Amino acid sequence: MKKLYKNYIYTILLAGSVFIFSILFSCTLDKNQNNNFLSIEVNEGDTLWEIAEKYEDADLTKKEFIGWIEEHNEVSADSIKPGQVIVIPVNNEKLVQNLASQQ
């Protein structure tokens, strides 16, 4: 058993290191992706349907928009509360350009 352990210790350490770094990298990647999207605070009486109508994006239907919000924020449409901050699938840069062109 010791001989087998000695022969494969470097392989085991390499595999463990790759596993740990891949987990850390994936966590960092998820945080960076959410920075590209708009974070909003839910107001009293807001529903995901109303939010989808307000920030409507041509790339997504309202159902897809709501599904994206539920999946990425780990909420359901009937469980959002006033004061809660959620990420919506609206690109920050695109929103600024749209607002500027409307003025």
Side-chain angles (χ1 to χ4, degrees), residues 82-100:
Q84 183 177 7
V85 177
I86 58 173
V87 178
I88 61 172
V90 174
N91 190 322
N92 280 330
E93 295 173 8
K94 193 175 182 180
L95 180 66
V96 170
Q97 290 173 352
N98 288 344
L99 291 176

Side-chain angles (χ1 to χ4, degrees), residues 49-67:
W49 188 264
E50 291 170 344
I51 293 170
E53 286 179 340
K54 182 176 180 181
Y55 294 97
E56 189 170 359
D57 190 1
D59 297 337
L60 298 173
T61 65
K62 286 183 180 62
K63 281 188 172 185
E64 291 171 336
F65 191 96
I66 292 169

Side-chain angles (χ1 to χ4, degrees), residues 15-61:
S17 299
V18 168
F19 179 72
I20 290 171
F21 284 119
S22 65
I23 290 174
L24 292 174
F25 181 72
S26 68
C27 290
T28 304
L29 192 61
D30 287 341
K31 289 179 184 175
N32 289 338
Q33 287 178 349
N34 281 344
N35 289 338
N36 294 334
F37 296 109
L38 183 64
S39 295
I40 62 165
E41 184 175 336
V42 177
N43 294 320
E44 185 72 36
D46 278 352
T47 65
L48 290 184
W49 188 264
E50 291 170 344
I51 293 170
E53 286 179 340
K54 182 176 180 181
Y55 294 97
E56 189 170 359
D57 190 1
D59 297 337
L60 298 173
T61 65

